[in-house]
Amino acid sequence: MADYKDTLNLPKTAFPMKANLPRTEPEILKRWEGERLYERILEARKGRPKYILHDGPPYANGSIHIGHALNKILKDIVCRVKTMSGHYVKFVPGWDCHGLPIELQVDRALGGRKAGIGKVEIRKRCREYAQRYVEIQKEEFKRLGVFGTWERPYLTMDYGYEATILKEFGRFVERGLVYRGKKPVHWCASCMTALAEAEVEYEEKESPSIYVKFPLLTLPEGEPFDHLRGLKGYILIWTTTPWTLPANLSVAVNPSVEYAAVKVRWEGKDEVWILARDLVEPLMERLKTPYSVEATISGRDLEGLSYRHPFLERESKVIPGDHVTVDTGTGCVHIAPGHGQEDYELGLRYNLPILAPVDHRGRFTEEVGEWSGLPVFEANPLIIERLRKEGVLVMDEKVRHSYPHCWRCKKPVIFRATEQWFISIDKEGLREKALEEIDRTLWIPAWGRDRIYNMVLHRPDWCISRQRAWGVPIAVFYCKGCGEVLLDKEIIERVVKVFEEGGADEWFTRDARDLLPPDTRCPRCGGDDFEKEEDILDVWFDSGVSFAAVLEKDGELGFPADLYLEGSDQHRGWFHSSLLASVGTRGKAPYKAVLTHGFVVDGEGRKMSKSLGNVISPQEVIKEHGAEILRLWVAAEDYREDMRLSKEIIARLIEAYRRIRNTCRFILGNLHDFDPERDSIPYTDLMDIDRWALTRVGNLIEKTKGAYERFEFHTVYHSIHNFCIVDMSNLYLDILKDRLYTWRRESQGRRSAQTVLFETINALVRLLAPILPFTAEEVWSHMPPFPGKEASVHMAMMPEVREEWMDEGIMRDWDTLLAIRRDVTKALEGARRSDLIGSSLEAAVVLDPPEGMKGFVEDHLHLFRELFIVSQVSLGRTDDCRVRLDGEAVKGLKVGVDRAEGEKCQRCWNYSKEVGRFEAHPDVCERCIEVLQAMGA
């Protein structure tokens, strides 16, 4: 028996089946860097419309985690898509370098030596620490395949950036939006600094839940209360922060709520308690004590009622508060203006002192007396015990509730009134303008609009001062003689120039006199001796003004950005601070669109944590499987929700990657002898199935490009994956094998197939490039040369759909043909199960179509042998066939299967009655003998 292997057109390609991504990716990265590929892409796109994706700066602290990888890969996909769509896309990565986390790391490293080290040395060490992690993270981001100006990033600690921060602060000063005031702010006693809203995380905490009787000096006036005058009266409050009771200065009631005077038998005596009418019954049921509602009164009529503090010599009054609710507690709220925002606002309205007897370490001051020096949370049980001794504690239990924690040290924070610097949100219409700009912005997904809108709608003034060393100082001076504040834009501008030359460190190395203009005198007392503000600016202000430091200063970028893209926590972080900083100084948002992604969770939807052992680091995935698998995961998951990642998910993605890669490899292998310029077949001369395949390619291009435009990357992934598996591997490529392998090399039928394979890989590789840049580059390098082929796929443009491909008649016909094929495939499976055939080429198929379809089937009969991958197809009755099936995909169609007639051709493996008739090659069929004769074999 002859060996015909050398007469077949078997696939040949150097494109490896095994990707070995951990080894090949660094090689490709090295080549890109050596060829200055990113710079060449930018040069090639100069003059094109700009697309600006502004990078929200990650914090320069530690190696990147999986959330960082998700974020940067998403940004890279967007930038690559826009570049390949014909835009000039310069991606400038950045880092947030100032702030508490870095300073705490330096503090820990210094240990006990910190006490003898000044701010200048601490700042020097913080700068070195930040720079080290900028370099570490930079290499980790580059390893993900992310393109950008990595050698020219922006750093918030660069001298020019620090000067811009101060300059933007000066703009707020010029508009009169900056003020200093004593207001309650989130305060971390562990980090000893004020915190912004964005620096607070809400976690579960166990707190005491107590009901306390505040003794009334008199009961309300009027007849309903006359018969109660001999009884001791109380107004009943509920709180989960007993430590704030020493600062109590009032009790608030809702003026529109009905309250009750309840006669209660308590510890052997009758007393009168006042609380919301609707909350009487649920509370008394829990207390299990006899009671009766003796009178009702509106909250409005309780205003002015006097009470005595439960354990201090202090008298206060009941005031109205619209914020008071009756869904829990007593409907009577204890007010400590120094320890809560709503309490503070009520205190201002009713001229209450802003009392906050707690120091920067979270310990009571001497004003509290017996608990002086005690941490407030440790004081809770002592205060409760004091209330019990005073006979005013009604109930004491524990409650688990959501409570603010510091974003860095993870410890509970307190509300504490301190002297801080603020930006007014309501002055000059800043809040209203910000809300208008939110509505002008495109939010992806749409719910992002409501989230940030409500945050801005209800937020307090922006506390911009922090009590730390590592950051940009607030350029304010104080007269030593009278305490007058020098807050002046011209003075700030002078300091800005100093920062441009030597950075913000100059604030800490120079005297106030060296920073102030000559002959500066206090406008109040005429003194000339000044001291500098010690506080630094909130780091959210640092990153929030990045539009001014980066977008406006780089001539190749511009303001506003087309897109900001970060995690959903940035609605209260960078999206928020950038909006306020930009609207407050430019009158408009710094972005046209904002895209938000979710967080990474494990396969069961749980937050990743070391304690659960479910953390997956990008470094371990890259080391074992390559960055492409991470990138494929980012594209495959719907980023609009929390994104699941587990070893099982990674395994599925590896299999999906393998299938996509194998599809590319099969196509490349069958183009080894194809010259697109010389061998391509005109569309009108293509075989029917080849023209159908181009409709599928056209559909893929349209669907994928549309999904890219809508930022629906999971749709891109599923479309490409399904195309490779369903349209290509399981159908078209399987059908083509006979023609590609066995037909004469230069035959029109084979060149027809190769023409479509070339168009397919040329489109597919470009569509894959934003998601799988390494693999796409590898595929591109193994494609045959063609006119206009760029040196890199990443310099190429997205594919276009040719109008002729989208032939509706072909699409309709092939919908029917493929429906017939589905019924035939089912019949062939039945033939295999009954051991009638093994390979489908052992089958002869008989079709008996319904009356209305006979003409269609006859017209396309020449396609069916190839389409079904069988040796023989005929029309006729199926009654005598060994396997019969009534069509489901095509109603009325009858399909029969028998064994094919003749012998197996040893070259193409089809069965034919002609095998054995040719003397030179008795073991081949009539089709193969023609090929062999043409080859001179």
Side-chain angles (χ1 to χ4, degrees), residues 11 65 120 130 178 191 193 218 265 283 342 387 420 488 496 537 595 600 614 651 688 707 716 721 732 737 841 924:
H65 54 65
V120 173
V178 177
C191 302
T193 186
T218 59
R265 188 69 177 173
L283 177 61
E342 289 169 330
L387 293 169
Q420 302 287 342
D488 181 85
V496 166
L537 282 162
L595 187 150
V600 183
N614 62 351
D688 282 11
V716 173
H721 184 256
Y732 182 62
K737 287 175 183 175
L841 288 174
V924 300

Side-chain angles (χ1 to χ4, degrees), residues 273-343:
W273 297 356
I274 291 179
L275 67 156
R277 179 68 181 87
D278 291 345
L279 296 170
V280 172
E281 186 174 345
L283 177 61
M284 295 306 166
E285 281 184 5
R286 294 171 65 198
L287 293 176
K288 307 296 184 190
T289 187
Y291 76 96
S292 60
V293 175
E294 297 292 326
T296 60
I297 187 171
S298 75
R300 185 172 293 103
D301 293 332
L302 290 173
E303 181 178 354
L305 207 60
S306 297
Y307 69 88
R308 182 176 56 79
H309 192 282
F311 56 79
L312 295 175
E313 291 300 322
R314 182 187 301 153
E315 290 183 13
S316 301
K317 293 185 181 295
V318 175
I319 59 176
D322 293 330
H323 70 288
V324 176
T325 62
V326 292
D327 52 352
T328 188
T330 66
C332 307
V333 176
H334 118 76
I335 300 298
H339 294 303
Q341 182 61 33
E342 289 169 330
D343 295 27

Side-chain angles (χ1 to χ4, degrees), residues 484-503:
E484 178 72 5
V485 176
L486 285 187
L487 182 61
D488 181 85
K489 186 174 183 293
E490 288 185 12
I491 291 176
I492 292 171
E493 285 293 338
R494 178 182 171 88
V495 179
V496 166
K497 288 184 172 59
V498 172
F499 283 12
E500 286 173 343
E501 295 177 7

